[in-house]
Amino acid sequence: MELNKRTYLSAFTILGLAMCLYSGLQLVGAYVYVLASDWISGLEAGGFRWLSGLFASPLTRVPVQYLFVLGIPSLLVYLSVCWLPASGGTRKKVPASAIAAALVMAMGFGYVFNFTGTIINFGISLATGKSALEMNPVTEMLSMLEPGMILYVCLIGPFMEEVMFRGVFLRRARRFGDRTAILYTAVLFGMMHGNLTQFLYATAIGLILGYLAVSSNGIRYCVLVHVLINSYSTYLTLWSLFLENMGTSLFTALFSFGVLAAVALFIAGAVWFFVSQGVFWWRELRARERTFGPGFRYVWKNPGFFLFAVISLLEMVSYFL
């Protein structure tokens, strides 16, 4: 099919509307989860009451919840866009050095934009009186690190998100160019989180994961890097909670110093790898495609993306109120 303006407009409208559907289905899934949990724990469930253990166990409670909130919605969204033409190719190996560079850049720039979002949240907190901690749902999530939450944050979540964004959506955007696909899915990935801080750093990380996806024609390296990022954050949180409960101020101070040193190293490493490799990666993509397609502006100027942007903006604003 010829990649004219109409093709851009129709394809990216459909992808944007699919993300709107994803947001709506998450709300429906959360409501159905509550109904299912209440029903299974009640006497009327009869022979199905054995399932109550899945809804109550510290190991399975969170994965079951996210099956309703993310898993089923993801499947339905895939069914809504699977008929769109997808680009791919033979899977390629990415050198370990490139994967390491991508990981360091994702961690380093993730910290930079996380700090940026935190500063903005703090400024809004001063103006509104609302706690800055309430403006980032990750804070609440990491405070409830039961086994099921750890399993979700470290494994299930990264896998599901990479399948959705670097798998389903990026493959359907690649026929319009690799740079277009990387940019578009990174922005969607950031907007999907629904709060300012995560939007900033998830978009930055999404750009790096997108490059890994187009370089390898697959998502296995994206999943690996995503798992390592989330697992590292969870590891630090677990140690922080452990030291806090132990009440050892000396070890807590040493731990905090070590974390700050690691953050500084990640940021320095991210700048180094970006200058030495990241710029080259982007130039390589630009040289391969020369220019963006004739209808590139319709990637963003279409009803689907506009509607999803409004939904995401309303979610972000809700955290400030």
Side-chain angles (χ1 to χ4, degrees):
M1 181 183 293
E2 181 184 358
L3 297 180
N4 52 34
K5 296 178 181 178
R6 179 174 295 181
T7 308
Y8 273 84
L9 182 61
S10 61
F12 286 100
T13 295
I14 292 168
L15 292 176
L17 290 176
M19 285 304 303
C20 297
L21 176 64
Y22 187 55
S23 295
L25 289 173
Q26 287 183 62
L27 296 176
V28 174
Y31 179 69
V32 173
Y33 168 77
V34 173
L35 293 179
S37 180
D38 291 342
W39 177 75
I40 288 174
S41 62
L43 295 176
E44 64 273 18
F48 291 97
R49 288 197 65 194
W50 64 271
L51 289 173
S52 61
L54 294 176
F55 285 78
S57 169
L59 181 62
T60 59
R61 177 169 51 205
V62 173
V64 168
Q65 179 182 357
Y66 279 99
L67 173 65
F68 283 85
V69 177
L70 295 180
I72 296 175
S74 296
L75 177 60
L76 295 176
V77 168
Y78 169 73
L79 293 175
S80 72
V81 300
C82 65
W83 55 275
L84 289 174
S87 300
T90 305
R91 290 188 176 183
K92 302 177 183 178
K93 286 187 176 181
V94 174
S97 58
I99 298 173
L103 175 61
V104 172
M105 282 192 286
M107 291 290 295
F109 290 125
Y111 276 123
V112 169
F113 286 101
N114 190 5
F115 293 152
T116 302
T118 301
I119 292 171
I120 295 173
N121 289 345
F122 182 71
I124 295 174
S125 175
L126 292 176
T128 63
K130 183 173 182 178
S131 172
L133 295 177
E134 297 178 19
M135 299 178 187
N136 187 350
V138 173
T139 304
E140 181 180 358
M141 181 181 294
L142 293 179
S143 67
M144 302 182 299
L145 285 181
E146 60 185 36
M149 180 63 78
I150 294 174
L151 180 63
Y152 171 75
V153 171
C154 296
L155 293 175
I156 300 174
F159 176 76
M160 291 175 60
E161 290 177 356
E162 291 311 311
V163 169
M164 173 67 73
F165 290 96
R166 259 61 66 177
V168 175
F169 278 82
L170 185 138
R171 289 188 64 229
R172 279 153 185 82
R174 277 192 77 179
R175 64 191 176 115
F176 300 95
D178 285 347
R179 287 186 297 166
T180 297
I182 292 171
L183 284 170
Y184 182 70
T185 53
V187 172
L188 288 187
F189 182 55
M191 292 167 61
M192 178 272 298
H193 288 83
N195 64 88
L196 178 64
T197 303
Q198 285 185 285
F199 166 73
L200 293 174
Y201 71 71
T203 300
I205 293 173
L207 292 171
I208 298 166
L209 295 176
Y211 177 80
L212 285 178
V214 301
S215 298
S216 63
N217 288 324
I219 65 169
R220 60 191 186 279
Y221 300 119
C222 304
V223 173
L224 173 62
V225 171
H226 201 155
V227 165
L228 290 174
I229 293 172
N230 285 20
S231 297
Y232 179 75
S233 298
T234 304
Y235 172 78
L236 293 182
T237 302
L238 288 172
W239 266 107
S240 178
L241 292 173
F242 173 75
L243 292 174
E244 182 180 334
N245 292 331
M246 290 290 292
T248 54
S249 57
L250 175 61
F251 286 112
T252 300
L254 291 174
F255 175 76
S256 299
F257 178 78
V259 170
L260 289 175
V263 169
L265 288 174
F266 274 122
I267 293 175
V271 173
W272 168 262
F273 280 121
F274 178 75
V275 172
S276 63
Q277 296 189 41
V279 174
F280 171 77
W281 292 350
W282 188 252
R283 287 176 178 173
E284 180 186 33
L285 290 173
R286 187 173 61 182
R288 195 162 65 220
E289 296 179 15
R290 298 294 180 182
T291 60
F292 287 109
F296 178 72
R297 64 182 179 275
Y298 293 109
V299 171
W300 318 107
K301 293 183 178 181
N302 63 77
F305 182 80
F306 176 77
L307 181 58
F308 183 57
V310 170
I311 293 173
S312 299
L313 182 61
L314 290 175
E315 286 185 294
M316 293 180 193
V317 171
S318 69
Y319 280 100
F320 299 141
L321 301 178

